[in-house]
Amino acid sequence: SIGRCALNDCFSLQAIIVEFNSLHYKSIGGVLYSINGDYLIQYPLAHPQTSYTLESITHIIEESAFQGSSSLEEIIIRSLQLNKLNDNTFYNCTKLIQVNFPTSLYYIGTNVMALCNKLQRNLIGYTFYRYGPQQTSTSYTIPSNILELDSYSFSFCDNLQSVSLGSVKRIGEYAFYGCSQLTSITLPSTVEVIESCAFAECSKLESFSSNSDVFIANDCALYWLNILVGYPIGNTRTSYTVSPNTISIDHQSFRSCPYLTEIILPSSLISISSFAFYNCIHLITITFTPSSSLKIIEPYAFAYCASLSTITIPNSLESIGNSAFAFCSKLSSINISDNHYYQTTDGLLFSSDGETLIQYPIGNSANSFALPSSVKSILPNAFSNSLYLEDITLSNSIEFIYSFAFSQ
């Protein structure tokens, strides 16, 4: 038995050889198949050939079988029996230009063609898989028969300024990630699902508009029910008030917004997802209402907010993810009071029992620091990139220091 993805990421592997008396597997031209050839298990990633033709009887390709191939430019599929492409089949095949798919396909997993940046426009059935970043056109209209945009389908298309979404129902994760010239998005009435980070890192995106009853554009941002799922980081406003009744800010929603200096959060807000405000370099003020319901701040939510000098956390908070305030170079003080889960002392963030140091504000100008004797563990990135510290004294009570606690 060979486990799923057992040979993944073997980037120097040129051939897979199977002894002739194997009862379950065989090698054809260095490619691993099941004994009868109907199941392609693994293509060696460093195989030197640029074109590969699948066996004519193959009807299943294993998950990630070609993922990361360094040479393949063309894949020829002659089998009329191929009916299944598992997740990540051709993921990150950076030189892949062309694949012909048979009409027999009935199952196509996620990220099948993601990050195949040289691939020409690729459609399979009702799903759009990849619009290559090398395309020079500044606009594109999704064909009316396409219902789904796969993960990464338009990611890093630096020439794309506008896109008409046709009758799309699902927009996959990272679908338009890093489209640096895209200025606006209008959602059609057909849209039902938008997955995580679909429009993240679109540096010139100024607004969302929507004809959908499911996703609502409100004051330039995009909401699903009571969740903020996208903010156009190319909008030049410096202050934004999250809509009343919002309960969550989704993953990477404001990531790398270069203009916001102030964010005002409603009392209804319960969670701030990971990387939500990551690298908002000019964010100075985070305002929580006195009646805040905030319970969760996920990892890296405010990391690399280079202008943030102080933050007062609501006493309703129950969970802070690792590195939520890491790498904030001007942060000199974190404050929280009357909280059952956390405490702050001299601007440092600890667990409520004082046994875990969560974050040292690295903008603190002190050049020496003595760890309180109550501290038993120091979390990842607690001191990372501290600008002024020259001397740290640890107590005998320390039992565990997590990775990267003192990095850089």
Side-chain angles (χ1 to χ4, degrees):
S1 174
I2 298 176
R4 183 172 58 88
C5 304
L7 298 173
N8 271 25
D9 298 335
C10 296
F11 297 112
S12 298
L13 187 64
Q14 295 187 357
I16 302 167
I17 308 301
V18 180
E19 292 186 354
F20 72 92
N21 58 348
S22 172
L23 298 178
H24 304 287
Y25 305 101
K26 67 179 179 181
S27 176
I28 304 175
V31 180
L32 182 62
Y33 281 86
S34 60
I35 190 64
N36 58 8
D38 65 342
Y39 194 175
L40 190 155
I41 299 167
Q42 184 67 51
Y43 182 88
L45 302 188
H47 199 299
Q49 65 189 27
T50 59
S51 178
Y52 182 69
T53 302
L54 267 72
E55 292 297 294
S56 60
I57 62 172
T58 300
H59 64 259
I60 296 176
I61 301 176
E62 176 60 283
E63 176 180 341
S64 305
F66 291 85
Q67 179 177 332
S69 171
S70 58
S71 300
L72 272 178
E73 297 177 3
E74 179 185 36
I75 295 174
I76 300 170
I77 302 173
R78 293 176 177 166
S79 171
L80 296 178
Q81 301 180 60
L82 183 68
N83 51 42
K84 186 174 185 180
L85 292 178
N86 287 297
D87 296 351
N88 306 311
T89 302
F90 302 106
Y91 182 91
N92 200 32
C93 292
T94 56
K95 293 185 179 180
L96 191 61
I97 297 171
Q98 182 173 344
V99 183
N100 70 293
F101 292 102
T103 56
S104 55
L105 281 174
Y106 70 79
Y107 176 84
I108 300 171
T110 60
N111 295 331
V112 168
M113 313 299 296
L115 300 186
C116 296
N117 290 340
K118 289 191 176 181
L119 196 67
Q120 302 298 317
R121 298 172 190 176
N122 200 286
L123 315 176
I124 308 174
Y126 298 108
T127 302
F128 189 104
Y129 280 89
R130 189 61 176 151
Y131 182 91
Q134 79 282 357
Q135 300 286 342
T136 58
S137 177
T138 59
S139 64
Y140 184 67
T141 298
I142 306 292
S144 59
N145 64 311
I146 295 299
L147 304 181
E148 297 185 346
L149 302 183
D150 195 39
S151 303
Y152 297 93
S153 50
F154 287 84
S155 61
F156 302 108
C157 290
D158 289 335
N159 293 315
L160 191 65
Q161 296 177 17
S162 64
V163 60
S164 174
L165 295 175
S167 301
V168 164
K169 289 187 176 183
R170 182 183 73 88
I171 300 175
E173 63 179 0
Y174 298 94
F176 293 91
Y177 187 90
C179 290
S180 60
Q181 301 300 314
L182 195 63
T183 58
S184 65
I185 286 288
T186 299
L187 300 178
S189 60
T190 52
V191 171
E192 298 173 356
V193 176
I194 299 177
E195 296 180 359
S196 179
C197 306
F199 303 102
E201 297 280 4
C202 294
S203 57
K204 290 189 177 179
L205 187 62
E206 297 177 358
S207 65
F208 290 99
S209 58
S210 177
N211 296 311
S212 168
D213 293 331
V214 180
F215 292 89
I216 306 300
N218 184 4
D219 194 17
C220 85
L222 190 64
Y223 292 82
W224 174 69
L225 300 177
N226 292 328
I227 300 172
L228 190 154
V229 295
Y231 181 84
I233 65 171
N235 191 300
T236 58
R237 67 195 303 169
T238 58
S239 178
Y240 183 74
T241 301
V242 174
S243 179
N245 301 317
T246 299
I247 61 171
S248 181
I249 296 175
D250 202 14
H251 182 63
Q252 298 199 37
S253 290
F254 291 85
R255 178 173 177 160
S256 297
C257 181
Y259 302 106
L260 280 179
T261 62
E262 179 184 37
I263 185 77
I264 301 169
L265 303 172
S267 59
S268 57
L269 191 67
I270 295 173
S271 66
I272 299 174
S273 298
S274 56
F275 297 89
F277 294 93
Y278 183 94
N279 197 38
C280 289
I281 58 174
H282 292 119
L283 186 62
I284 298 171
T285 305
I286 303 167
T287 301
F288 298 96
T289 64
S291 57
S292 176
S293 303
L294 188 69
K295 296 184 183 300
I296 300 168
I297 299 177
E298 292 189 355
Y300 292 93
F302 294 96
Y304 287 100
C305 287
S307 300
L308 190 65
S309 61
T310 183
I311 184 168
T312 298
I313 301 171
N315 58 17
S316 57
L317 197 71
E318 297 178 2
S319 174
I320 298 178
N322 288 340
S323 309
F325 302 103
F327 308 105
C328 295
S329 56
K330 289 186 178 180
L331 187 63
S332 61
S333 179
I334 303 169
N335 304 295
I336 192 170
S337 60
D338 300 323
N339 185 274
H340 294 297
Y341 302 93
Y342 302 98
Q343 61 166 294
T344 53
T345 303
D346 297 329
L348 281 70
L349 181 62
F350 297 89
S351 59
S352 59
D353 58 11
E355 294 184 357
T356 302
L357 173 60
I358 298 166
Q359 187 68 55
Y360 177 91
I362 63 173
N364 188 315
S365 59
N367 56 25
S368 64
F369 175 70
L371 204 68
S373 59
S374 63
V375 175
K376 295 181 179 180
S377 61
I378 303 174
L379 293 190
N381 296 314
F383 290 91
S384 293
N385 282 32
S386 181
L387 300 177
Y388 302 102
L389 277 178
E390 299 174 2
D391 178 67
I392 299 174
T393 303
L394 303 181
S395 69
N396 293 330
S397 61
I398 285 291
E399 297 176 358
F400 199 86
I401 299 175
Y402 285 80
S403 301
F404 308 110
F406 298 96
S407 69
Q408 300 183 27

